[in-house]
């Protein structure tokens, strides 16, 4: 199946019955799907069709057709976290983003995902403000959803299923969420205050999103067992733009980073349209870590989010028959108070599928518990039988004992805060660099994404409607919610300014005051390819001091520098583009980061900062050079006043070693004594530009 993006004049008489193309072979007739073409507002229209390669080429060559590309299928990137991040609206002892922004009131977050469970307590509209006047969306009806499911909190919902085959679908043909993924993400970003929330008694506390008074608009494009198609995602972006959202949160992505390009990627194209309209787009970085080059959706206009742990653990005591006791972690309730038979499994590279097969096999064999080993601390799977995670050392000691007798006693798991070193970049979180555009440092930022308790469709047999989930999918809405708070406070800030504020104020130290660690095959200090600028710090994002701004024309110049033709860029830009003969350097895109994949001798990079702090400000440069690289910043000081609000500077990188090497990392900061505006650096020294030693 191919996706066709076309543009037509507003007077073109198009409706859902209009036949657009008829091929010589009468079996190929393209008819736009219902609501596919929108001619009352200036965004792109699209449809999906099953075509041969030659037919796809024929369509691409027709007047009015912007682009034809294969319909990709994307996947979903699947209480305590806001307190952990320091975002407490009731804290009066410090400058507080939540209270200053009135908890996101008046801002609309569009969530492109698997839908929503509208009855959840997290989406009640008690004491919500009025629906913003710029909202133009609808509450689309469908299976088990009608217009009464929307309210002043959930102000709109749509569903899109033209890019997938819904025959035999085990899902609701409506905005209603079947998998729980979209509900979970929406409540993380903007859920209301819900008291005494827990999962099986764990994580008990006050559930809330980042922006409890922000409004939600839901765009269901992901379907149970089918994934999320390009055509539906692109259409969702266009409708979100039309509807008037301020932020788009999309916890979806491809299984692996595409080897294609930005103009053939529906998510990248849709996000480009959104950002051009002033809408910040936040996306999950992917769950294919800890391998390098796995970060997904690397377009420079998208804010890409990695996942980290928080400081909460779920401790369970494991008591052996000789009264020796060990601690493990579990989210599974323990039903047996006495000694029981149990199975111990050692996993080298565990996955959810491994766990699923393990506890099913143990259960069928009559086992009542499972102890498993895991080298990392960031994957706990609730099981129908007690499943307790331990590290290799403890696992080995338990195995030595149960060789003689395999009975142990387990305690109920308990939530414990503050004893775990955090944050740590999760082992599954996808890593940079980007193979498509290594000059764009990805991911941009890291946020909490491990064992996050949030809203979920309630079980069929009744019970709680909240659940733990883990993934960069959960990290993404943490950042989306913070972006909504920034937008509420700084309504005129463009997407690049919001991204800059988040990246340049990020934390690079853990709860112990030392470096943040990245989990993987071996633990190591986290670098920018693990966490971008660092771990999001909501306490500082509202007042960054300086910002690195980027406009649409800058992105167009960047695409020119990558070798895209004027025609290709014109097609996605919606107006004529002519790439300048004066070659623009891709390194000069004004990102809040610098990545140089091939430093042979010397490269000079330009950046521009805008003062958003005190009118009269004086900043000086602080440099942490990557190993083997010399750095020179000119000028070394920046002075702002009422007439000078924007200044440029140059950074010259020079290789100081002759050996081929891997990337090394550093930072460049500007400080006025109050603000520290920090950007990450990644540089790789090479001897030959066409060859690197990895």
């Amino acid at each position: 199946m191919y996706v066709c993006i076309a543009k037509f004049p507003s007077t073109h008489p198009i409706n859902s019955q209009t036949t657009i193309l008829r091929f010589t072979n009468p079996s190929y007739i393209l008819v736009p799907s219902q609501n596919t073409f929108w001619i009352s507002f200036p965004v792109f229209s699209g449809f999906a069709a099953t075509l041969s390669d030659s037919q796809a080429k024929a369509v691409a060559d027709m007047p009015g057709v912007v682009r034809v590309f294969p319909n990709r299928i994307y996947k979903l990137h699947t209480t305590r976290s806001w307190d952990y991040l320091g975002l407490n609206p009731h804290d009066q002892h410090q400058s507080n983003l939540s209270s200053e922004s009135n908890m996101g009131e008046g801002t609309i977050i569009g969530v492109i995902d698997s839908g929503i469970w509208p009855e959840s307590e997290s989406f009640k509209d008690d004491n919500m403000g009025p629906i913003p006047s710029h909202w133009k969306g609808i509450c689309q009806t469908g299976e088990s959803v009608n217009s009464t499911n929307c309210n002043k909190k959930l102000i709109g919902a749509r569903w899109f299923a033209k890019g997938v085959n819904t025959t035999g679908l085990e899902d609701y043909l409506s905005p209603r969420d079947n998998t729980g993924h979209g509900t979970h993400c929406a409540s993380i970003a903007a859920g209301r205050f819900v008291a005494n929330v827990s999962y099986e008694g764990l994580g008990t506390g006050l559930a809330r999103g980042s922006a409890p008074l922000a409004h939600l608009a839901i765009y269901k494009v992901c379907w149970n067992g089918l994934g999320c198609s390009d055509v539906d995602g692109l259409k969702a972006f266009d409708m979100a733009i039309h509807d008037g959202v301020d932020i788009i949160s999309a916890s979806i992505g491809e299984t692996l980073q595409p080897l294609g390009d930005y103009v053939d990627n529906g998510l990248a194209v849709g996000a480009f349209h959104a950002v051009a309209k002033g809408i910040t787009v936040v996306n999950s970085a992917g769950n294919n870590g800890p391998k390098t080059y796995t970060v997904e959706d690397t377009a420079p206009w998208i804010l890409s989010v990695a996942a980290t742990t928080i400081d909460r653990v779920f401790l369970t005591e494991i008591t052996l028959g000789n009264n020796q006791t060990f601690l493990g972690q579990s989210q599974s309730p323990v039903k047996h108070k006495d000694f029981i038979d149990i199975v111990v499994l050692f996993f080298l590279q565990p996955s959810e599928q491994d766990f699923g097969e393990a506890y099913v096999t143990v259960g069928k064999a009559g086992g009542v518990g499972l102890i498993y080993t895991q080298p990392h601390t960031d994957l706990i799977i609730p099981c129908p039988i007690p499943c307790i995670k331990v590290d290799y050392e403890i696992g080995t000691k338990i195995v030595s004992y149960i060789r003689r007798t395999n009975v142990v006693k387990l305690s109920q798991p308990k939530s414990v805060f503050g004893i775990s070193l955090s944050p740590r970049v999760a082992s599954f979180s996808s890593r940079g660099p980007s193979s498509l555009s290594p000059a764009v440092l990805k991911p941009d930022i890291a946020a909490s994404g491990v064992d996050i308790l949030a809203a979920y469709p309630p079980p069929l047999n009744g019970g709680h409607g909240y659940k733990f989930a883990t993934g960069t999918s959960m990290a993404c809405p943490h950042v989306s919610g913070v972006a909504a708070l920034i937008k509420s406070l700084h309504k005129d800030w463009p997407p690049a300014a919001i991204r800059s504020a988040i990246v340049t104020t990020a934390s690079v130290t853990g709860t112990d005051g030392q470096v943040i660690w990245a989990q993987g095959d071996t633990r190591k200090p986290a670098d920018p390819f693990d966490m971008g600028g660092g771990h999001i710090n909501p306490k500082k994002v509202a007042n960054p001091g300086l910002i690195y701004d980027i406009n649409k024309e800058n992105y167009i110049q960047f695409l020119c520098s990558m070798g895209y033709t004027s025609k290709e860029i014109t097609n996605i830009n919606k107006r004529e583009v002519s790439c300048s003969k004066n070659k623009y350097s891709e390194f000069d895109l004004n990102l809040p980061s610098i990545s140089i994949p091939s430093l042979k001798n010397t490269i000079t990079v330009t950046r521009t900062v805008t003062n958003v702090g005190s009118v009269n400000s004086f900043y000086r440069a602080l440099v942490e050079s990557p190993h083997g690289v010399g750095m020179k910043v000119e000028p070394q000081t920046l002075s702002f006043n009422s007439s000078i609000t924007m200044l440029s500077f140059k950074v010259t990188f020079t290789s100081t070693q002759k050996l081929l090497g891997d990337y090394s990392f550093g930072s460049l900061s500007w400080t006025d004594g109050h603000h520290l505006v920090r950007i990450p650096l990644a540089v790789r020294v090479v001897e030959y530009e066409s060859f690197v030693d990895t």
Side-chain angles (χ1 to χ4, degrees):
M1 181 176 286
Y2 285 84
V3 179
C4 174
I5 308 174
K7 56 183 178 181
F8 300 94
S10 60
T11 56
H12 199 291
I14 297 176
N15 56 52
S16 62
Q17 303 302 316
T18 304
T19 300
I20 299 302
L21 302 172
R22 185 184 295 272
F23 291 97
T24 304
N25 184 335
S27 65
Y28 291 97
I29 301 175
L30 301 188
V31 180
S33 306
Q34 182 181 5
N35 297 327
T36 295
F37 293 96
W38 312 280
I39 59 176
S40 61
F41 52 93
V43 293
F44 280 37
S45 300
F47 58 88
T50 302
L51 304 173
S52 67
D53 291 344
S54 60
Q55 290 165 340
K57 185 178 185 303
V59 174
D61 292 338
M62 300 193 74
V65 174
V66 173
R67 194 78 179 175
V68 177
F69 52 85
N71 182 35
R72 294 182 174 94
I73 300 296
Y74 295 88
K75 67 174 183 176
L76 296 164
H77 291 156
T78 152
T79 82
R80 170 62 181 168
S81 58
W82 293 120
D83 285 335
Y84 172 70
L85 292 174
L87 193 63
N88 186 340
H90 305 300
D91 188 349
Q92 304 300 321
H93 299 292
Q94 58 183 355
S95 177
N96 189 288
L97 173 63
S98 186
S99 58
E100 290 174 2
S101 64
N102 198 22
M103 294 182 278
E105 184 176 16
T107 302
I108 304 171
I109 302 175
V111 180
I112 299 178
D113 211 292
S114 66
I116 196 166
W117 195 264
E119 293 83 6
S120 171
E121 292 292 320
S122 290
F123 310 125
K124 299 295 184 182
D125 68 350
D126 300 346
N127 301 315
M128 283 287 296
I131 295 174
S133 59
H134 65 278
W135 173 248
K136 300 177 183 178
I138 63 170
C139 192
Q140 185 180 1
T141 60
E143 185 179 355
S144 299
V145 170
N146 57 51
S147 60
T148 63
N149 288 117
C150 290
N151 55 30
K152 289 187 292 184
K153 178 64 177 181
L154 176 58
I155 62 175
R158 298 179 186 267
W159 56 285
F160 309 87
K162 301 303 180 184
V164 294
N165 184 354
T166 59
T167 303
L169 178 68
E170 295 183 0
D171 204 334
Y172 299 96
L173 285 173
S174 73
R176 185 171 292 278
D177 187 9
N178 176 270
T179 68
H181 189 276
T183 300
H184 202 273
C185 291
S187 67
I188 293 172
R192 298 300 303 278
F193 293 93
V194 184
N196 298 319
V197 165
S198 71
Y199 175 80
E200 300 289 357
L202 293 174
T204 302
L206 181 70
R208 69 181 188 274
S210 170
L213 295 185
H215 306 275
L216 282 167
I218 302 302
Y219 302 87
K220 181 176 178 177
V221 302
C222 302
W223 301 89
N224 186 24
L226 300 179
C228 332
S229 78
D230 243 340
V231 64
D232 294 330
L234 189 56
K235 187 174 178 182
F237 269 102
D238 275 358
M239 291 313 300
I241 296 167
H242 165 263
D243 291 347
V245 305
D246 300 297
I247 307 291
I248 291 178
S249 184
S251 293
I252 59 177
E254 293 185 286
T255 302
L256 291 174
Q257 178 179 312
L259 297 178
D261 52 42
Y262 293 137
V263 297
D264 283 345
N265 182 306
L267 195 153
V269 172
F272 182 89
H273 296 168
V275 170
K277 294 292 184 179
I279 302 167
T280 298
V281 178
V282 186
N283 181 240
S284 45
N287 298 331
N288 294 301
K291 294 181 180 178
T292 58
Y293 293 100
T294 53
V295 64
E296 302 170 13
D297 306 318
T298 59
W301 45 86
I302 294 176
L303 178 49
S304 176
V305 187
T308 56
T309 63
I310 61 176
D311 67 342
R312 179 175 57 197
V313 293
F314 307 98
L315 297 183
T316 297
E317 290 184 353
I318 305 168
T319 303
L320 308 183
N322 59 5
N323 289 324
Q324 194 173 9
T325 299
F326 301 99
L327 289 176
Q329 284 202 67
S330 177
Q331 292 175 359
S332 307
V334 175
K335 300 178 181 179
H336 299 81
K337 297 182 179 180
D338 299 322
F339 283 90
I340 57 174
D341 292 332
I342 202 158
V343 175
V344 180
L345 294 177
F346 273 71
F347 287 113
L348 295 179
Q349 297 293 335
S351 67
E352 289 192 35
Q353 182 177 352
D354 293 332
F355 289 121
E357 293 175 353
Y359 69 66
V360 168
T361 301
V362 171
K364 286 182 177 180
V368 294
L370 171 67
I371 296 175
Y372 63 92
T373 60
Q374 182 189 350
H376 317 127
T377 62
D378 52 24
L379 188 61
I380 302 176
I381 307 291
C383 307
I385 61 174
C387 296
I388 301 92
K389 179 184 70 177
V390 298
D391 63 23
Y392 285 151
E393 184 177 341
I394 291 176
T396 300
K397 292 178 180 178
I398 294 174
V399 167
S400 297
Y401 170 79
I402 66 171
R403 282 175 176 164
R404 299 184 295 275
T405 173
N406 63 339
V407 294
V408 301
K409 183 190 292 185
L410 306 174
S411 71
Q412 290 289 353
K414 296 180 180 179
S415 304
V416 181
F417 308 107
I419 67 169
S420 177
L421 181 64
S422 60
R424 290 185 243 188
V425 178
S427 61
F428 59 79
S429 187
S430 290
R431 309 301 213 263
S434 161
S435 61
L436 178 57
S437 51
V440 177
L441 198 155
K442 292 290 179 175
D444 293 287
I445 194 71
S448 305
V450 175
D451 295 327
I452 305 302
L453 183 62
Y456 223 74
L460 294 177
N461 59 356
H464 50 74
Y466 290 83
K467 187 176 179 180
F468 290 108
T470 289
T472 55
S473 283
M474 285 68 243
C476 172
H478 278 89
V479 176
S480 305
V482 171
L485 297 180
I486 299 173
K487 187 68 173 179
S488 294
L489 194 60
H490 301 291
K491 298 186 185 302
D492 60 338
W493 279 17
I498 293 175
R499 187 249 303 273
S500 176
I502 290 172
V503 172
T504 61
T505 60
S507 172
V508 292
T509 57
T511 51
D512 63 347
Q514 303 301 310
V515 299
I516 294 175
W517 291 85
Q519 302 197 122
D521 296 332
T522 58
R523 291 176 183 168
K524 67 178 185 66
D527 61 51
F529 291 153
D530 302 316
M531 61 177 185
H535 193 254
I536 191 168
N537 186 356
K539 296 178 181 179
K540 294 185 177 181
V541 295
N543 183 22
L546 305 175
I547 58 171
Y548 292 77
D549 198 7
I550 307 174
N551 59 38
K552 185 175 73 168
E553 298 306 315
N554 300 141
Y555 290 126
I556 290 172
Q557 291 176 311
F558 168 80
L559 291 173
C560 288
S561 74
M562 287 191 68
Y564 291 108
T565 66
S566 296
K567 179 181 178 181
E568 287 175 317
I569 303 172
T570 296
N571 285 341
I572 69 168
N573 184 51
K574 300 181 291 188
R575 67 178 180 80
E576 192 70 28
V577 169
S578 178
C579 288
S580 172
K581 292 182 179 179
N582 297 323
K583 185 170 176 58
Y584 175 88
S585 170
E586 60 182 336
F587 301 119
D588 287 336
L589 183 64
N590 202 41
L591 293 165
S593 60
I594 298 174
S595 178
I596 301 176
S598 302
L599 177 63
K600 186 177 180 181
N601 294 308
T602 298
I603 290 178
T604 298
V605 174
T606 300
R607 288 290 186 271
T608 300
V609 289
T610 302
N611 181 27
V612 293
S614 300
V615 173
N616 297 306
S617 300
F618 180 82
Y619 285 82
R620 60 186 178 88
L622 302 176
V623 173
E624 182 185 348
S625 300
H627 178 72
V629 177
M631 279 181 62
K632 183 179 181 181
V633 180
E634 294 181 304
Q636 294 185 356
T637 60
L638 302 174
S639 184
F640 299 93
N641 54 43
S642 59
S643 59
I644 301 175
T645 60
M646 185 183 303
L647 289 170
S648 296
F649 60 90
K650 295 183 181 295
V651 186
T652 300
F653 297 88
T654 303
S655 171
T656 60
Q657 66 180 32
K658 295 301 181 182
L659 298 176
L660 298 179
D662 200 352
Y663 280 94
S664 56
F665 306 98
S667 66
L668 168 61
S669 303
W670 292 96
T671 183
D672 63 352
H674 175 62
H675 302 93
L676 185 68
V677 188
R678 180 186 181 277
I679 65 172
L681 312 174
V683 182
R684 179 169 56 185
V685 174
V686 300
E687 182 65 22
Y688 307 98
E689 293 185 0
S690 60
F691 171 80
V692 293
D693 182 13
T694 58

